[in-house]
Amino acid sequence: MDSRPVYALVNGYKKKRCSCENKETCACEKTYSDPDAKLGVQRNKANQNKFFIGYRKHSIVCPTPSGPIVLLSIILPPDTADIDVLLPLVEKLNQSGDLKVDYLAADLGYFSAEDQAASLKEYDVAVVTDSKKNTVIPETCSPEGMPECEAGHKLVWDGFDKETYTSWFNGDEDKCLACPLQAACDKQFGFSFEENPFFFGPVPQGTELQNEMLRFRKQVELGFAHESNQLDAVLRHKKVPVKTTERVQSFFIMRDMFRLIERIIKHVRATILPENHVEKIKELQMQQVEQMSLPLVA
């Protein structure tokens, strides 16, 4: 789950576009040439301004062997906070019916223990994010957020029970052998998800599963860059060729659908169709043409 800025097809500054005779005294609002476009802020990157005019696309992206592919997205004003889109995106994913996603990796813009808990309980989707510097770490965890036993040894994650919403950890066997508390230790520890959804969720902090998810999340930006490069270049920016929120939303729905169909066709050709099937079809086609071109015998 991630978002990216979408540059609107606008020219110049805001101005009144009404039909009033005296536009200097009328109360009509000034707008861009795209009436739904707004001023937004983006991350400081090379050769880019901090501000842009347009929208923000929030997407759910899936990994494939040929690169990330967008499953669905929502177009919203650029001043919409990422955290406000987390649950609407998950709900839209749940309404699709054919798509079943168990885990979603997101950046710190979607960090919210309350929304992550609601996503798991209401939609059965676990949202995984990294930790912020000011996050309050439980007393039972290390400074990195990993649960520890009474002896101060990091525990090994053993899985998550969705029926009881309990995250289970085991003691590290290498540390347990020399631990003086070994005789009185159960070597298995359960932590309630409801007590701390962020640290005791389906994917706890610091686990290998979380690291793999967050590593893939960084690849999503490469997919967004490829998508942006396919738009029309106007004044050094890749701008969406349509105006208004409804048309921009429809435009990206069609683009995402076409890219998904292209990946499906590529996958079918590589895994299902026989080898050299295109050449064989062309050969059969030439045979049919030759037969049709033969002179008819009276």
Short mmCIF file of all heavy atoms in Angstrom, two decimals, residues 25 30 44 59 62 64 81 102 105 162 198 203-205 212 214 220 234 254 256 260 273 286:
data_model
loop_
_atom_site.label_atom_id
_atom_site.label_comp_id
_atom_site.label_asym_id
_atom_site.label_seq_id
_atom_site.Cartn_x
_atom_site.Cartn_y
_atom_site.Cartn_z
N THR A 25 -15.19 41.88 -9.32
CA THR A 25 -16.08 42.12 -8.17
C THR A 25 -16.98 40.93 -7.84
O THR A 25 -17.61 40.93 -6.78
CB THR A 25 -16.96 43.36 -8.43
OG1 THR A 25 -17.73 43.13 -9.63
CG2 THR A 25 -16.10 44.60 -8.61
N LYS A 30 -11.78 31.24 -7.58
CA LYS A 30 -10.72 31.02 -8.56
C LYS A 30 -10.34 29.54 -8.59
O LYS A 30 -10.23 28.90 -7.55
CB LYS A 30 -9.50 31.85 -8.21
CG LYS A 30 -9.68 33.36 -8.36
CD LYS A 30 -8.39 34.09 -8.07
CE LYS A 30 -8.56 35.59 -8.26
NZ LYS A 30 -7.28 36.33 -7.98
N ASN A 44 10.92 15.93 -1.13
CA ASN A 44 11.98 16.62 -1.85
C ASN A 44 12.86 15.60 -2.56
O ASN A 44 13.51 14.77 -1.93
CB ASN A 44 12.82 17.46 -0.90
CG ASN A 44 12.04 18.65 -0.36
OD1 ASN A 44 11.19 19.19 -1.05
ND2 ASN A 44 12.32 19.04 0.87
N SER A 59 -2.73 3.34 -3.79
CA SER A 59 -2.86 2.07 -4.50
C SER A 59 -2.49 0.90 -3.60
O SER A 59 -1.70 1.03 -2.66
CB SER A 59 -1.97 2.05 -5.75
OG SER A 59 -2.24 3.15 -6.59
N CYS A 62 0.61 -5.51 -5.90
CA CYS A 62 0.92 -6.92 -5.67
C CYS A 62 2.24 -7.25 -6.38
O CYS A 62 2.48 -6.80 -7.50
CB CYS A 62 -0.21 -7.80 -6.20
SG CYS A 62 0.12 -9.57 -6.09
N THR A 64 4.80 -9.49 -8.60
CA THR A 64 4.76 -10.51 -9.64
C THR A 64 6.18 -10.76 -10.12
O THR A 64 7.07 -9.94 -9.89
CB THR A 64 3.88 -10.08 -10.83
OG1 THR A 64 4.52 -8.98 -11.50
CG2 THR A 64 2.50 -9.65 -10.37
N ALA A 81 -4.51 12.95 4.10
CA ALA A 81 -3.47 12.19 4.81
C ALA A 81 -3.56 10.71 4.47
O ALA A 81 -4.66 10.16 4.27
CB ALA A 81 -3.62 12.39 6.32
N ASP A 102 -4.06 -11.25 2.63
CA ASP A 102 -3.89 -11.46 4.06
C ASP A 102 -3.01 -10.39 4.70
O ASP A 102 -3.20 -10.04 5.87
CB ASP A 102 -3.27 -12.84 4.32
CG ASP A 102 -4.20 -13.96 3.89
OD1 ASP A 102 -5.42 -13.79 4.05
OD2 ASP A 102 -3.71 -14.98 3.37
N ALA A 105 1.77 -4.38 3.30
CA ALA A 105 2.91 -3.62 3.79
C ALA A 105 2.73 -2.16 3.42
O ALA A 105 2.34 -1.83 2.30
CB ALA A 105 4.21 -4.16 3.19
N LYS A 162 -5.37 -16.42 15.18
CA LYS A 162 -6.42 -15.47 14.84
C LYS A 162 -7.68 -15.67 15.67
O LYS A 162 -8.49 -14.76 15.80
CB LYS A 162 -6.76 -15.59 13.35
CG LYS A 162 -5.71 -15.00 12.44
CD LYS A 162 -6.19 -14.98 11.00
CE LYS A 162 -5.16 -14.32 10.09
NZ LYS A 162 -5.62 -14.27 8.68
N PHE A 198 0.32 -3.02 17.59
CA PHE A 198 1.47 -2.76 16.73
C PHE A 198 2.59 -3.76 16.97
O PHE A 198 3.19 -4.28 16.02
CB PHE A 198 1.97 -1.33 16.96
CG PHE A 198 3.14 -0.96 16.08
CD1 PHE A 198 2.99 -0.82 14.72
CD2 PHE A 198 4.39 -0.78 16.63
CE1 PHE A 198 4.07 -0.50 13.92
CE2 PHE A 198 5.47 -0.45 15.84
CZ PHE A 198 5.31 -0.30 14.48
N VAL A 203 2.27 -9.87 12.33
CA VAL A 203 3.66 -9.78 11.86
C VAL A 203 4.39 -8.86 12.85
O VAL A 203 4.41 -7.65 12.67
CB VAL A 203 3.74 -9.22 10.44
CG1 VAL A 203 5.20 -9.24 9.95
CG2 VAL A 203 2.88 -10.03 9.49
N PRO A 204 5.01 -9.42 13.89
CA PRO A 204 5.66 -8.59 14.90
C PRO A 204 6.88 -7.85 14.34
O PRO A 204 7.43 -8.20 13.29
CB PRO A 204 6.08 -9.61 15.97
CG PRO A 204 5.23 -10.80 15.73
CD PRO A 204 4.98 -10.83 14.25
N GLN A 205 7.28 -6.83 15.07
CA GLN A 205 8.43 -6.03 14.70
C GLN A 205 9.71 -6.86 14.75
O GLN A 205 9.92 -7.67 15.65
CB GLN A 205 8.56 -4.83 15.63
CG GLN A 205 7.44 -3.82 15.51
CD GLN A 205 7.46 -3.11 14.18
OE1 GLN A 205 8.48 -2.58 13.76
NE2 GLN A 205 6.33 -3.09 13.51
N GLU A 212 11.01 -8.81 4.98
CA GLU A 212 10.75 -9.11 3.57
C GLU A 212 9.62 -8.23 3.02
O GLU A 212 9.69 -7.76 1.89
CB GLU A 212 10.41 -10.58 3.41
CG GLU A 212 11.58 -11.53 3.60
CD GLU A 212 12.65 -11.34 2.53
OE1 GLU A 212 12.29 -10.98 1.39
OE2 GLU A 212 13.84 -11.55 2.85
N LEU A 214 8.66 -5.19 4.11
CA LEU A 214 9.10 -3.80 3.97
C LEU A 214 10.12 -3.65 2.85
O LEU A 214 10.21 -2.59 2.23
CB LEU A 214 9.71 -3.33 5.30
CG LEU A 214 8.74 -3.31 6.49
CD1 LEU A 214 9.44 -2.79 7.74
CD2 LEU A 214 7.51 -2.45 6.19
N VAL A 220 7.86 -0.84 -4.80
CA VAL A 220 6.62 -0.29 -5.34
C VAL A 220 6.88 1.06 -6.00
O VAL A 220 6.27 1.42 -7.01
CB VAL A 220 5.56 -0.18 -4.23
CG1 VAL A 220 4.32 0.51 -4.74
CG2 VAL A 220 5.21 -1.57 -3.71
N VAL A 234 4.40 17.18 -20.30
CA VAL A 234 4.04 18.58 -20.49
C VAL A 234 4.86 19.41 -19.50
O VAL A 234 4.75 19.21 -18.29
CB VAL A 234 2.53 18.83 -20.27
CG1 VAL A 234 2.21 20.30 -20.49
CG2 VAL A 234 1.72 17.96 -21.20
N MET A 254 -8.70 2.13 -15.89
CA MET A 254 -8.48 1.48 -17.17
C MET A 254 -7.01 1.15 -17.38
O MET A 254 -6.66 0.06 -17.85
CB MET A 254 -8.99 2.37 -18.31
CG MET A 254 -10.49 2.64 -18.27
SD MET A 254 -11.48 1.12 -18.33
CE MET A 254 -11.04 0.52 -19.94
N ASP A 256 -4.72 0.57 -15.06
CA ASP A 256 -4.37 -0.56 -14.19
C ASP A 256 -4.94 -1.86 -14.73
O ASP A 256 -4.28 -2.91 -14.67
CB ASP A 256 -4.90 -0.30 -12.77
CG ASP A 256 -4.23 0.88 -12.10
OD1 ASP A 256 -3.15 1.29 -12.56
OD2 ASP A 256 -4.81 1.41 -11.13
N LEU A 260 -2.80 -5.15 -15.99
CA LEU A 260 -3.06 -6.46 -15.40
C LEU A 260 -3.36 -7.50 -16.48
O LEU A 260 -2.88 -8.64 -16.41
CB LEU A 260 -4.23 -6.35 -14.42
CG LEU A 260 -4.62 -7.64 -13.67
CD1 LEU A 260 -3.45 -8.15 -12.86
CD2 LEU A 260 -5.82 -7.39 -12.77
N LEU A 273 0.44 -22.05 -22.83
CA LEU A 273 0.48 -22.30 -24.27
C LEU A 273 1.74 -23.07 -24.66
O LEU A 273 2.79 -22.93 -24.03
CB LEU A 273 0.44 -20.97 -25.02
CG LEU A 273 -0.86 -20.16 -24.86
CD1 LEU A 273 -0.76 -18.86 -25.64
CD2 LEU A 273 -2.06 -20.97 -25.34
N MET A 286 -0.70 -19.35 -43.26
CA MET A 286 -0.15 -19.32 -44.62
C MET A 286 -0.67 -20.49 -45.45
O MET A 286 -0.94 -20.34 -46.66
CB MET A 286 1.37 -19.35 -44.56
CG MET A 286 2.00 -18.10 -43.94
SD MET A 286 1.53 -16.59 -44.81
CE MET A 286 2.17 -16.92 -46.45
#
